[in-house]
């Protein structure tokens, strides 16, 4: 059985280095990601008190593959 994914409250966030995920024009609320051990964290960079999502490597790989495949695109652009 794979190890359980930690809750964000189980992760020491004091030394996390957040990286802004920006492509193209700067935005007011960029997504930020951090790689912490075997987990990837994601939050709203415009509101550092916003909820933090925790991904395993497999979940992150699936998310990135979906994004590259246009799974999350919408017709507004």
């Amino acid at each position: 059985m794979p190890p359980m994914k930690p809750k964000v409250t189980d992760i020491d966030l004091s030394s996390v280095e957040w990286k802004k995920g920006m492509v193209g024009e700067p935005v007011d609320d960029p997504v930020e990601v951090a790689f912490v051990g075997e987990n990837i964290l994601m939050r709203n960079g415009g509101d550092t008190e916003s909820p933090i999502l925790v991904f395993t490597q497999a979940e992150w790989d699936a998310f990135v593959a979906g994004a590259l495949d246009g799974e999350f695109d919408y017709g507004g652009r």
Side-chain angles (χ1 to χ4, degrees):
M1 181 185 313
M4 291 191 54
K5 178 170 63 171
K7 296 178 182 173
V8 73
T9 54
D10 298 332
I11 299 172
D12 177 11
L13 300 174
S14 63
S15 62
V16 169
E17 292 186 38
W18 293 97
K19 299 182 184 311
K20 294 188 186 313
M22 297 176 64
V23 176
E25 298 286 324
V27 294
D28 292 334
D29 297 329
V31 170
E32 291 182 333
V33 295
F35 298 87
V36 180
E38 297 181 11
N39 299 290
I40 297 93
L41 311 179
M42 183 166 61
R43 71 177 183 185
N44 175 347
D47 177 6
T48 58
E49 298 300 316
S50 66
I52 296 171
L53 304 176
V54 180
F55 294 88
T56 64
Q57 187 65 55
E59 290 170 329
W60 184 253
D61 292 345
F63 170 74
V64 170
L68 291 172
D69 194 37
E71 184 176 337
F72 310 112
D73 291 354
Y74 62 96
R77 289 191 176 194

